[in-house]
Amino acid sequence: ILLSGRGSNFEALADSIAAGRIPDARIALVISNREGAPGLERAAARKIPARVIPSKGLERDAYDRQVVAALQEARVDLVCLAGFMRLLSPYFVQQFHGRILNIHPSLLPSFPGLEAQRQALEYGVKFSGCTVHFVDENLDAGPIVAQAIVPIEPADTPDTLAARILAEEHRV
Ligand code: GAR
């Protein structure tokens, strides 16, 4: 699991595995590109191996080589991006081709990138949601696995919409 922050989607995966909803799965390693990401503490509390590989100041390729090496050393089969706020290099995608999943808080291909919930509100769509997809070299792109629809209420702010979408992210 790769993350950059809070780690609630990591916890949803860990909970689903613990409850037997994802058979034969084990979280081998959690990697954060940011020091102090709350997701790291959440992993430690569950005794799941977690480490920081700081991305600050590194070229994309140099950084991704470090992460790929750590994942290969942990003999990882599937990489789940759970709030990992970085574009993957072609090298990374090739190393785990067809074995990388991402979750994104919009109905892709609408509103890729940062602040997807704010983008949806500013555009004025009446429904948004979340998407789980396989990852290719492009930002928030690749074959879609699952989506959930979330209605937008007139009084929504980016925060209230994000919270409603997040509940669906955890389920999906
Ligand atoms: C989630 O809403 C996830 O969909 C989003 O970051 C949040 C991470 O929350 N990811 C992206 O926007 C990727 N482009 P979490 O750290 O609590 O799982």
Side-chain angles (χ1 to χ4, degrees), residues 3 5-10 42 82-85 102-105 113 117 140 166 169-170:
L3 53 79
R6 182 176 51 189
S8 74
N9 278 294
F10 148 65
R42 291 177 168 207
F84 188 62
M85 305 309 271
N102 181 43
I103 187 153
H104 183 76
Q117 304 92 337
D140 295 321
L166 194 64
E169 293 188 45
H170 295 164

Side-chain angles (χ1 to χ4, degrees), residues 14 17 21 87 116 149 160:
I17 290 170
R21 289 193 293 270
L87 184 63
I149 295 170
T160 60

Side-chain angles (χ1 to χ4, degrees), residues 16 49 55 62 69 78 84-85 99 119 121 139-141 158 172:
S16 287
S55 54
L78 180 72
F84 188 62
M85 305 309 271
R99 298 187 292 140
Q119 292 184 56
L121 284 178
L139 180 65
D140 295 321
V172 166

Side-chain angles (χ1 to χ4, degrees), residues 39-123:
L40 289 165
E41 275 175 35
R42 291 177 168 207
R46 290 165 183 267
K47 307 218 176 343
I48 293 172
R51 56 183 283 200
V52 183
I53 304 183
S55 54
K56 220 173 168 187
L58 282 184
E59 301 261 339
R60 187 174 310 285
D61 229 54
Y63 181 71
D64 280 9
R65 277 175 197 276
Q66 289 186 22
V67 175
V68 165
L71 295 171
Q72 287 172 340
E73 198 184 305
R75 303 172 64 88
V76 156
D77 296 310
L78 180 72
V79 181
C80 295
L81 310 184
F84 188 62
M85 305 309 271
R86 291 179 57 84
L87 184 63
L88 301 188
S89 62
Y91 168 77
F92 192 135
V93 175
Q94 278 157 21
Q95 292 304 306
F96 287 94
H97 189 79
R99 298 187 292 140
I100 310 169
L101 290 171
N102 181 43
I103 187 153
H104 183 76
S106 75
L107 294 173
L108 291 173
S110 291
F111 313 126
L114 295 176
E115 299 199 82
Q117 304 92 337
R118 180 184 299 278
Q119 292 184 56
L121 284 178
E122 285 177 356
Y123 195 95

